[in-house]
Amino acid sequence: MVATRSRRLGAGIAAALAVTMAAGCGSGSSESGAAQGASTGGTLRAAFAGGSTETLNYLQGPTALDYVRARLVHAPLCELDADAEDGVAYGVVSDIQVSKNLTQYTLTVRDGVKFTDGSALTSKDVLYSLQAPTLLKGLPFTQLVARGFDLDQATTPDGSTVVLPALSPIADGRDLICQSMLAIKAGTTEFTTGTPSSGPFTIGAFEAGRSTTLRRNPDYYGQAPTLDAIELVSIADGTARVNALRQGQVDYISGITPAQAQTLDGVEGATVTTSELPYASYLQFTMNTAAEPFDDERVREAFKLAVDRQKILQNVYYGRAFIGNDVPGLGFAHYDDDLGQRTYDPERARKLLQEAGAEDVQVELTAGPELAGMVETATLIVEDLKAIGVRATLKEVAAGELYADYEAYAALPFRAGYTPPASFEPNWAPGVFPDVDALVATARSATSADERLDASHQAQKLLWERGNQLGVMFVPNISAASDGVSGVRELQFPDLARATVSE
C-alpha cells in the first residue's frame, strides 16, 4: 500500500508554516498498527543509511540518522506543525509571544521538565540550547536562530522566561526557533552516552556506522513512549535495507528509492509510505560562483538548460518525485508558481557556453548517497553535460562522507546537496547574491502580507534567472515498515518517539 498526503501550506507566523508531518495515513503517521490494537512495550528495529561518520553531536552530525537519534534523546524546544492551532507544537517551550513591532520574542519555559541527571530544565538551558549551534560550531542548518536574533543580548529574567531581541524586525521568528532546535543542558560541550538529556529515550549503547540502542526514559515529561527500546541500525545500501526488512531483520526502513520500493509491491506484511508536497526534499546541485567557470552566469544557465529533468523523473524516480525549477520551497505558500518551468534545451546551452568561451570546460561533480536518487541523478546530469561538450566527471563519496567536512564541502566547485522540506525565506543563506538577500529580508519583515509575498517572488525570479543552484527535483521520503509498526511520524526527518510494534 502506498499512503500519501498532500496539502499546500501557508507561510509566516499567521500562516502556520509546517515542515513537520509528512507522509502516511490520516494525520501523517502510519496508523495501521494502532487500528489493529498495537501492544505496549517491545523494541522497534529501524534501519537508516547512517555511515562511519555518525556522531552523538547532532549539531555537527553529517547524516540524517544523527538528527533522528538526537530527536529521540533530546526534547525539542518546539516544532512546526501544520495541525497545531498556530502552526507550532510546543515542547519544553510552552509559549512564544512576539512584540507588535516584531523586534522581540518572549519564550515561556514549561514547568516540570527534568534532565536525566535529575536537574530541572530552566530558561538558562533553553537559551544555551539556542546559542549552542554557534558556540559549538554547528552545521549551517542548525544556526538559523542566530541569523535572526541577537543571542548575545538575549536575557533570562527568571527561570521560566527567555527574551530574544531580533536583529531586525522578523515576522517568521517561530519558523526559526521551532526548526530542529533541541534542549540541552547549559554548558554542554560534549555529547556522549552519559550526557544528560530530556527526551523520551536515553542512549544505552552507540557504535558509529553500526547501531544505537535507546531505552525508554521513565522520567520523560511528555507523552510516555510505548516502546521499551529502539534499535537504530546503520545500513548504507538501500537494497540491503529492503532485504533486511523482507527477511525480518528490521521492522522499519527509511530513505529508499522508488525502484527499491517497487520490489516491496505485493510483498505480504510490508507497507510502503511516500510523502507528497510540500514534504519533499529539495535536491540541488550547487555551482560555486567563487570558482571558474561558475562565476559566469551564462555557464550557470547553460548547465540548467542542459539537463533533461523528465528523463531523471522517469529513469531515477519512476515518476514518484516532483520536477524542480531551480528555486526552493515547492508546495509552500510563497513558492512562485508563475515562474516559467525551465525546459530542456541543449542547443541553447551549447550557444551559451560558446558565448562564455567555455565550450569544453572541465568540471567534477561531487555526490553521495545522502538522499534517495542523488547519485543516480548526478550520473544523468554528467551524461547530459557531456552531450553539450562539457568534460564532466562524477566523484561519488561513501554514505555519510559528503558533509563530513562541511567547510571542504562548501568550497567544492560543483556539489550535490539537499534541503529537507522547508519554506524559502527563513532557510535562505545570505552572502552570494546581495540583491536577493535584501528582498528576502523584506519578505521576512514587512508588515504587509502582500509586500512580503511580492518581495519573495522577486527574490525567486532573480534566483531563477541568475542563481547558482541546479534544482532539478523535489524528492519525497519513501519508507517501509512491517505490519504491526505504527505511529512513525514522517517529519523533516522520521520521528519514532510515538511508534509502536505488535506481534
Side-chain angles (χ1 to χ4, degrees):
M1 178 183 74
V2 176
T4 61
R5 184 169 188 242
S6 178
R7 69 167 58 179
R8 181 167 288 269
L9 301 177
I13 298 172
L17 277 171
V19 288
T20 52
M21 308 192 75
C25 305
S27 63
S29 305
S30 172
E31 302 292 352
S32 57
Q36 296 166 9
S39 63
T40 59
T43 298
L44 175 72
R45 303 163 299 171
F48 296 80
S52 60
T53 57
E54 287 175 39
T55 172
L56 297 180
N57 183 352
Y58 77 97
L59 298 171
Q60 298 178 350
T63 76
L65 179 53
D66 292 317
Y67 187 78
V68 171
R69 180 192 307 107
R71 172 62 182 77
L72 293 165
V73 175
H74 305 287
L77 302 188
C78 45
E79 295 178 301
L80 301 176
D81 186 341
D83 291 346
E85 183 176 353
D86 61 356
V88 170
Y90 291 100
V92 303
V93 169
S94 60
D95 184 62
I96 299 176
Q97 296 295 323
V98 57
S99 63
K100 289 184 179 179
N101 61 5
L102 306 179
T103 61
Q104 180 173 291
Y105 283 67
T106 301
L107 284 58
T108 301
V109 180
R110 188 179 299 280
D111 291 334
V113 180
K114 289 187 177 182
F115 289 103
T116 50
D117 65 356
S119 62
L121 182 144
T122 70
S123 57
K124 293 188 183 300
D125 300 307
V126 170
L127 178 55
Y128 183 79
S129 300
L130 295 169
Q131 295 170 328
T134 301
L135 296 174
L136 304 181
K137 303 184 187 308
L139 293 172
F141 85 90
T142 69
Q143 303 199 30
L144 293 180
V145 176
R147 292 180 194 164
F149 293 96
D150 187 348
L151 295 177
D152 290 337
Q153 298 302 315
T155 59
T156 55
D158 58 52
S160 300
T161 306
V162 179
V163 179
L164 299 178
L167 292 169
S168 60
I170 51 175
D172 58 1
R174 286 192 181 94
D175 295 342
L176 306 179
I177 299 167
C178 300
Q179 192 172 163
S180 306
M181 298 307 300
L182 304 178
I184 58 177
K185 190 168 181 175
T188 298
T189 57
E190 295 183 347
F191 294 83
T192 69
T193 56
T195 297
S197 60
S198 57
F201 290 86
T202 61
I203 301 175
F206 167 69
E207 186 174 357
R210 297 183 64 86
S211 67
T212 308
T213 301
L214 303 176
R215 304 198 182 285
R216 179 168 52 192
N217 177 7
D219 298 320
Y220 178 54
Y221 80 92
Q223 179 179 334
T226 297
L227 296 168
D228 291 326
I230 297 175
E231 183 178 1
L232 300 173
V233 183
S234 302
I235 303 177
D237 181 73
T239 299
R241 290 199 296 279
V242 170
N243 290 337
L245 181 72
R246 298 185 67 160
Q247 295 166 10
Q249 297 168 353
V250 298
D251 310 299
Y252 171 88
I253 57 176
S254 179
I256 58 175
T257 68
Q260 291 159 351
Q262 283 189 332
T263 67
L264 290 171
D265 287 345
V267 173
E268 186 176 356
T271 300
V272 176
T273 301
T274 304
S275 63
E276 292 192 4
L277 292 176
Y279 304 110
S281 294
Y282 178 47
L283 173 59
Q284 83 271 155
F285 298 85
T286 299
M287 297 171 278
N288 190 339
T289 59
E292 294 182 349
F294 300 122
D295 55 343
D296 190 321
E297 66 180 70
R298 293 170 296 184
V299 174
R300 301 197 296 268
E301 183 180 359
F303 274 43
K304 296 173 185 174
L305 292 167
V307 175
D308 187 342
R309 301 165 200 237
Q310 282 290 344
K311 184 170 68 176
I312 294 171
L313 177 65
Q314 297 305 319
N315 292 4
V316 177
Y317 294 104
Y318 294 78
R320 297 170 75 166
F322 310 94
I323 288 180
N325 199 25
D326 305 323
V327 293
L330 178 63
F332 288 88
H334 278 191
Y335 184 81
D336 190 353
D337 292 304
D338 293 330
L339 286 174
Q341 174 62 53
R342 199 181 305 278
T343 57
Y344 175 50
D345 191 346
E347 291 305 317
R348 172 67 178 156
R350 287 191 189 92
K351 187 171 297 185
L352 284 167
L353 289 182
Q354 289 173 356
E355 292 174 5
E359 299 96 322
D360 61 347
V361 67
Q362 183 172 358
V363 298
E364 179 183 75
L365 174 57
T366 302
E370 307 305 321
L371 182 70
M374 179 185 284
V375 173
E376 294 84 350
T377 299
T379 300
L380 292 183
I381 288 175
V382 166
E383 289 180 2
D384 284 339
L385 292 176
K386 287 180 177 177
I388 62 168
V390 175
R391 291 181 291 155
T393 57
L394 174 65
K395 179 181 179 181
E396 180 181 351
V397 299
E401 295 290 338
L402 188 62
Y403 303 122
D405 182 344
Y406 194 85
E407 187 174 350
Y409 164 79
L412 290 170
F414 195 21
R415 60 186 187 270
Y418 76 97
T419 305
S423 55
F424 164 52
E425 298 90 349
N427 291 279
W428 171 251
V432 178
F433 300 103
D435 45 0
V436 175
D437 296 346
L439 287 166
V440 170
T442 300
R444 299 182 57 202
S445 62
T447 54
S448 160
D450 288 343
E451 189 178 356
R452 292 198 296 269
L453 180 62
D454 180 66
S456 177
H457 282 191
Q458 289 185 57
Q460 291 175 60
K461 188 172 187 296
L462 288 178
L463 287 178
W464 188 87
E465 293 171 345
R466 301 190 281 108
N468 63 336
Q469 288 188 343
L470 176 52
V472 296
M473 207 64 55
F474 285 82
V475 181
N477 183 51
I478 303 179
S479 60
S482 301
D483 285 354
V485 174
S486 178
V488 177
R489 300 190 302 160
E490 299 288 349
L491 314 179
Q492 274 186 304
F493 301 97
D495 179 15
L496 310 178
R498 301 176 188 173
T500 62
V501 293
S502 61
E503 298 297 334

